[in-house]
Amino acid sequence: MELSLLNPQQREAACHGEGPLLILAGAGSGKTRVITCRIAHLSAARGVAPENILAVTFTNKAAREMRERVEEMLGKKRCKGMVIATFHSLCVRILREDIEALDYKKNFSIYSTADQLRLIKDLIQQVDIGGRKFDAERVLYAISDAKNRLVPPEKFAVKYHDDYEYMAAAVYPRYQKALKAFNAVDFDDLIMLVARLLQEHPAVLEKYRARFRYILVDEYQDTNAAQYLLLKLLAGGHHNLCVVGDDDQSIYGWRGADLGNILEFERDFPGARVVKLEQNYRSTGNILAAANAVIKNNGKRREKALWTADGAGPRVDYLLCEDEEDEARAVMERIHGERFREELNYSDFAILYRTNVQSRAFEEQLRYENIPYVLIGGQQFFDRKEVKDLIAYLKVLVNHRDEVNLLRILNYPKRGIGETTADRLIRHSAQTQKPLWEVLKSASELDDLGDKAQEAIAAFVALMERYRRLFNRHGMMVETLRELIAEVRLEQEIYRTVDDPVKARRRVENMEEVANALASYLEREESPSLPGFLEKVSLLDEERPGRDSKEKKLQRDAVVLMSIHSSKGLEFPHVFLVGMEEEFLPHKKTLTETFDLDEERRLCYVGITRARRRLVLTGARRRKKYGEMQLRVPSRFLAEIPAELLNASRGEEPPQLPEEEKDQRASKAFANIMSILGD
Ligand code: ATP
Ligand code: MG
């Protein structure tokens, strides 16, 4: 066993027996390593059966890595049956087994953000007869926030009395009703419905309590109220709940993560053993000192004293650049130089930013200099229109009650079911309370529809029923998908509607990529199915599946570009934390009015602590915005790093502060930076 690879505190945590356990530790202190060793210990030394172990984390990558580490220690065979999953995939698993208790069908669809927005837009129109423009995303955000706090539609109280709140209050119940009618769930439902299932059905709760006898949770600081309730319910009988987290790395407040969950664990689980880990094994002394110096400015936190046995290492670099292009060039220069000097791989470098839009200048420069890179996140493959169109067909084939997607494909590509016909069908469905699919099947009873429309509808129904059968042929799924693309003439539709031939080609290739994704899903999965494939696609939190998964991308020798959010839990020898400016980090929030500076500081802390040996902070004096040059103010967090840790490049000419940006704090940060630059 690898317990010898742990320090005494880590070992204490890994070998803990029964009862609640809280491991509270800073970044890079080996929390994730403790979890994997604890799983191995439970299995090897305590004889716990694999199916009694449940480990939960936040991203697919983290879950996959955890499984791999455990398999290395125990061997694949002894891990079979262990559930090592994200919250969402755990919940899908439970719902596929037991959702009927909540009066849904097992073939439920999982709605993507795009599906949700389509539905919300529709509902806004139904509610708002005045025709005012509402931003569907903002309404969705309010609803999602309520769900994460476990507030059902009937308890949604209007607090701030703005138009959006009233709109959200009106849409929320309709939205839930529609989802139910379409036999669909959204991401927030996944967690909320499982919590409800366990609360309302004691027999189901008992079943899962008996199954998951040891529960381990990584990145516990990011759980929201719904996830917390879920854990509390599951661990309710045996209290064998081990949670691992760092209050300083809580960065999902905007998604309802509740720091209280970690700060109050001991109160909620009496008798909990608390283990603190303070030795950092990841970063050099200077990097760690910079991280500590920043995070100590947050008020509500548990004091931690992270230290490292490593040397101080080089100072943290700060590059103040002219503009975004200069910033990108400066980063490339460093990569070229250090890679050569220290014989590094491209994959030893990561460029981290606060918002995905910041990646553009870096991508361009990387391409220009022929440096291989991978972009993680950003425009998700499955968010592209042509991909969504194809997936919509598949979603309807699996669940014909899915009306959002049924309407998406009803007349796409054009097949003679125009808007008037569609309206007539929808109206009939509403009047008779019959699902739209049933209305389509019996459309011949609607005398006011013309012959052409009747024919088109009948052909569509026949097409879908035929493909539902075809997809059931054993081992023929990829062929069937290609047949479907050809028969529906999706490619021709793209060539017909997209003028730019290069763009059109790329879109067609993207559809082919879906077939590839399906093929590689079929290879990996023991008992593959079309619903299973759609589920994988829905739960994807990374770029594309299959051939070009995030995993494989990271293995390729390429510079990694990603947001700070998606870098959580990862580490890289060299990290560039770019755009260290006010409005980026801290970010000028647009969605919510509540500006959470502490959370921005935690993000900065997460970014800094990804670095193992070298950290470079960069910022620009000015940036183009709406075609105009704007002066930028260095991030206030820079000023929190003691000057002796920083190695700042000298700017030739001090940036001028525009009048309106002379906010007190910013100018203090600015003055500090200037003094660093001047020393
Ligand atoms: P984060 O807060 O970023 O999620 P973490 O606390 O989960 O970090 P790990 O990722 O588990 O930390 O470990 C950080 C690094 O330290 C890894 O490279 C890991 O292999 C190494 N490490 C952890 N514990 C030890 C140890 N006892 N001896 C040597 N290396 C260790
Ligand atoms: Mg970790």
Side-chain angles (χ1 to χ4, degrees), residues 148-403:
N148 285 326
R149 287 184 289 113
L150 291 169
V151 179
E154 64 276 12
K155 295 224 173 89
F156 186 91
V158 175
K159 272 185 311 207
Y160 300 110
H161 301 283
D162 67 8
D163 291 358
Y164 271 92
E165 274 223 334
Y166 282 110
M167 184 46 87
V171 169
Y172 186 14
R174 290 175 165 85
Y175 173 71
Q176 277 315 92
K177 223 174 123 196
L179 284 181
K180 183 89 190 283
F182 301 167
N183 195 31
V185 304
D186 67 17
F187 261 62
D188 304 319
D189 281 340
L190 287 176
I191 317 264
M192 207 170 76
L193 287 179
V194 172
R196 222 181 86 202
L197 178 73
L198 300 180
Q199 267 179 322
E200 292 172 5
H201 299 270
V204 178
L205 177 61
E206 278 321 309
K207 180 172 89 177
Y208 287 105
R209 280 185 176 172
R211 188 179 300 174
F212 301 132
R213 306 224 347 260
Y214 290 83
I215 303 173
L216 305 98
V217 187
D218 200 0
E219 309 279 1
Y220 179 68
Q221 73 277 356
D222 287 325
T223 50
N224 61 32
Q227 289 158 333
Y228 183 60
L229 175 65
L230 182 71
L231 291 172
K232 226 165 142 172
L233 286 165
L234 282 175
H238 48 62
H239 284 200
N240 291 326
L241 176 62
C242 161
V243 304
V244 165
D246 178 1
D247 52 329
D248 291 333
Q249 292 188 68
S250 166
I251 52 176
Y252 282 100
W254 54 281
R255 239 166 37 185
D258 187 357
L259 253 179
N261 294 344
I262 193 162
L263 297 171
E264 284 150 31
F265 182 85
E266 289 147 290
R267 200 196 59 201
D268 289 333
F269 292 90
R273 181 159 174 186
V274 182
V275 175
K276 288 192 179 180
L277 307 175
E278 303 200 314
Q279 181 169 2
N280 173 295
Y281 290 93
R282 180 178 293 147
S283 313
T284 63
N286 280 339
I287 294 173
L288 209 56
N292 284 335
V294 170
I295 199 67
K296 78 167 199 281
N297 296 291
N298 269 3
K300 194 176 146 200
R301 65 185 284 264
R302 294 196 180 204
E303 201 54 47
K304 276 185 288 295
L306 269 187
W307 61 278
T308 171
D310 241 25
R315 291 207 273 183
V316 173
D317 288 317
Y318 171 58
L319 307 179
L320 179 59
C321 309
E322 282 310 313
D323 53 27
E324 60 255 57
E325 273 135 41
D326 187 38
E327 186 187 29
R329 273 197 302 271
V331 169
M332 297 313 132
E333 226 168 80
R334 295 286 303 239
I335 293 178
H336 279 308
E338 279 161 20
R339 180 167 165 273
F340 179 71
R341 246 193 335 273
E342 301 174 33
E343 294 184 25
L344 298 169
N345 294 318
Y346 282 124
S347 55
D348 290 329
F349 298 90
I351 300 173
L352 308 181
Y353 36 78
R354 173 67 178 85
T355 57
N356 284 316
V357 290
Q358 288 169 260
S359 69
R360 189 197 52 84
F362 293 97
E363 278 186 85
E364 272 172 23
Q365 197 61 27
L366 284 158
R367 251 184 267 136
Y368 179 73
E369 305 204 14
N370 258 323
I371 299 178
Y373 72 91
V374 286
L375 176 74
I376 287 162
Q379 209 217 4
Q380 298 275 315
F381 177 69
F382 285 99
D383 277 348
R384 298 191 179 132
K385 181 188 177 300
E386 64 279 9
V387 176
K388 281 191 296 199
D389 290 331
L390 182 53
I391 295 287
Y393 272 92
L394 302 184
K395 282 188 168 171
V396 176
L397 285 170
V398 167
N399 170 22
H400 54 236
R401 285 224 235 153
D402 180 345
E403 290 186 15

Side-chain angles (χ1 to χ4, degrees), residues 43 47-55 77-83 93 207-214:
S43 166
V48 176
E51 56 274 17
N52 291 149
I53 295 175
L54 166 66
K77 241 170 87 194
R78 284 163 79 178
C79 298
K80 210 169 156 48
M82 250 179 222
V83 179
R93 193 186 271 257
K207 180 172 89 177
Y208 287 105
R209 280 185 176 172
R211 188 179 300 174
F212 301 132
R213 306 224 347 260
Y214 290 83

